[in-house]
């Protein structure tokens, strides 16, 4: 008989380990602090009610990221008007004002990208996942990941060039 | 451009109040989750209903309040059955017919006329079939005192 190893972590442990990462993903995706908090809350509530075995912490992390991204997609579909973050929204959750300004620039650059392109940019460039890992997290093929990354960069390049004029 | 601002991105922290909000809301949800309790209660009730019947704690299945010959014809004997069934079941006879009964499920007190036809009473059995078991009763006649009875086989 084959026994699956399973990890048993409390919700508090999981929250303390992964909340910052999830919140960053949600905030960068939604560009709205309230939506990001709601998305995180929904993800952790769903996790607490889940009847599923996880093999290790990476398995939990993958589930959290995938669920968070899906939730952010739902929120984006619901909110037709794209949000703008300003420095007051993030002053208490970021190191200092210089970092805050840099983050706002990043957020502005990604704000108008379609959700599926935001996903790949956030996961690959900012969370540091390889394209293979991104394709597993997003449940898409590797070629699809590469294509999305390429198109996302093209769109961001066009946006930057427009702003520079 | 995407390579820039990684430090700024990584310096974002989840707000402190979010932790309190999430851990309180999940605790509240657990306190009011009655579904497992309801499932267990339902199982206990079902088992309590089945187990006594299954191990035969209620006995007998059928009590015969009265068996009396209501008519004797040249062709055969008609018997008045006054039955008390403590479980829902279907009654059938090996010989003859049950007047006033169409084979439907019955429970409680029921009065039927068993027309033996040309059959010898010694060959006659009455069967009660319910959800858990089938019980047979033989028709018996005491020649000493002329009384009729139903005896469980």
């Amino acid at each position: 008989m084959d026994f699956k190893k399973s990890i048993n972590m409390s919700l508090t442990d999981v929250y303390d380990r992964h909340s910052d990462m999830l919140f960053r993903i949600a905030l960068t995706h939604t560009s709205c602090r309230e939506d990001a908090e709601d998305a995180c809350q929904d993800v952790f509530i769903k996790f607490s009610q889940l009847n599923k075995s996880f093999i290790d912490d990476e398995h939990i992390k993958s589930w959290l990221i995938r669920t968070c991204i899906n939730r952010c997609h739902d929120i984006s579909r619901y909110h037709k008007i794209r949000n703008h973050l300003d420095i007051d929204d993030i002053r208490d959750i970021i190191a200092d004002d210089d970092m805050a300004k840099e983050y706002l620039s990043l957020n502005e650059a990604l704000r108008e990208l379609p959700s599926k392109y935001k996903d790949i940019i956030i996961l690959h460039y900012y969370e540091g996942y390889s394209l293979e890992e991104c394709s597993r997290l997003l449940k898409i093929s590797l070629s699809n990941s590469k294509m999305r990354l390429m198109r996302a960069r093209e769109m961001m390049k066009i946006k930057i060039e427009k702003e520079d004029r | 451009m995407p390579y820039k601002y990684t430090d700024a991105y990584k310096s974002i922290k989840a707000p402190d109040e979010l932790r309190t909000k999430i851990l309180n809301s999940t605790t509240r949800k657990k306190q009011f989750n009655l579904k497992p309790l309801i499932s267990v209660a339902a199982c206990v009730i079902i088992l309590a209903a089945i187990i006594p019947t299954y191990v035969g704690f209620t006995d007998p299945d059928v009590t015969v309040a009265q068996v009396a010959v209501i008519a004797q014809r040249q062709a055969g004997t008609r018997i008045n059955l006054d039955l008390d069934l403590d479980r829902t079941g279907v009654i059938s006879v090996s010989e003859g017919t049950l007047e006033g009964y169409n084979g439907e499920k019955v429970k409680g007190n029921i009065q039927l006329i068993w027309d033996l036809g040309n059959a010898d009473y010694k060959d006659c059995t009455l069967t009660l079939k319910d959800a858990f078991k089938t019980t047979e009763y033989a028709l018996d006649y005491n020649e000493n005192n002329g009384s009729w009875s139903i005896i469980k086989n």
Side-chain angles (χ1 to χ4, degrees), chain A residues 12-13 15-16 19, chain B residues 14-24:
Chain A
T12 313
D13 289 337
Y15 182 88
D16 289 339
S19 57
Chain B
D16 292 335
E17 62 269 22
L18 184 62
R19 189 179 194 276
T20 313
K21 204 169 154 189
I22 285 171
L23 296 182
N24 280 350

Side-chain angles (χ1 to χ4, degrees), chain B residues 102-135:
Chain B
N102 293 322
E104 66 271 25
K105 287 183 184 173
V106 288
K107 187 184 174 181
N109 182 255
I110 183 166
Q111 291 167 341
L112 297 172
I113 296 171
W114 187 354
D115 185 342
L116 302 188
N118 293 327
D120 184 347
Y121 78 88
K122 291 172 189 168
D123 297 327
C124 297
T125 55
L126 181 141
T127 303
L128 176 69
K129 189 175 178 184
D130 62 38
F132 301 104
K133 57 183 180 177
T134 301
T135 314

Side-chain angles (χ1 to χ4, degrees), chain B residues 135-147:
Chain B
T135 314
E136 268 191 5
Y137 299 83
L139 187 60
D140 188 53
Y141 175 68
N142 187 327
E143 288 174 355
N144 292 331
N145 58 23
S147 65

Side-chain angles (χ1 to χ4, degrees), chain A residues 121-132:
Chain A
I121 292 281
I122 293 169
L123 292 177
H124 182 61
Y125 287 120
Y126 293 101
E127 290 297 333
Y129 287 101
S130 66
L131 283 178
E132 288 83 2

Side-chain angles (χ1 to χ4, degrees), chain A residues 44-148:
Chain A
F44 283 108
I45 286 173
K46 204 168 173 181
F47 178 82
S48 72
Q49 294 170 344
L50 203 58
N51 184 17
K52 180 185 164 77
S53 296
F54 291 98
I55 298 165
D56 54 23
D57 188 49
E58 277 306 309
H59 191 191
I60 292 175
K61 195 175 167 186
S62 301
W63 184 90
L64 290 171
I65 290 172
R66 204 162 30 242
T67 309
C68 181
I69 284 175
N70 289 339
R71 190 70 192 102
C72 291
H73 286 195
D74 293 339
I75 290 170
S76 300
R77 270 195 289 271
Y78 180 74
H79 282 165
K80 301 223 178 340
I81 301 168
R82 297 200 190 280
N83 299 301
H84 275 282
L85 266 183
D86 65 46
I87 199 160
D88 292 327
D89 292 328
I90 60 170
R91 200 166 250 139
D92 63 320
I93 55 169
I94 199 160
D96 52 48
D97 276 7
D98 289 335
M99 288 285 192
K101 285 173 188 165
E102 286 190 0
Y103 178 76
L104 289 174
S105 301
L106 155 65
N107 205 277
E108 194 56 32
L110 297 180
R111 198 171 69 85
E112 287 178 27
L113 282 184
S115 292
K116 61 183 181 180
Y117 298 143
K118 278 191 207 177
D119 296 342
I120 199 84
I121 292 281
I122 293 169
L123 292 177
H124 182 61
Y125 287 120
Y126 293 101
E127 290 297 333
Y129 287 101
S130 66
L131 283 178
E132 288 83 2
E133 288 166 330
C134 288
S135 46
R136 271 200 297 276
L137 282 168
L138 297 172
K139 298 210 168 181
I140 56 177
S141 65
L142 180 58
S143 56
N144 204 347
S145 292
K146 288 178 182 172
M147 185 67 72
R148 286 189 190 183

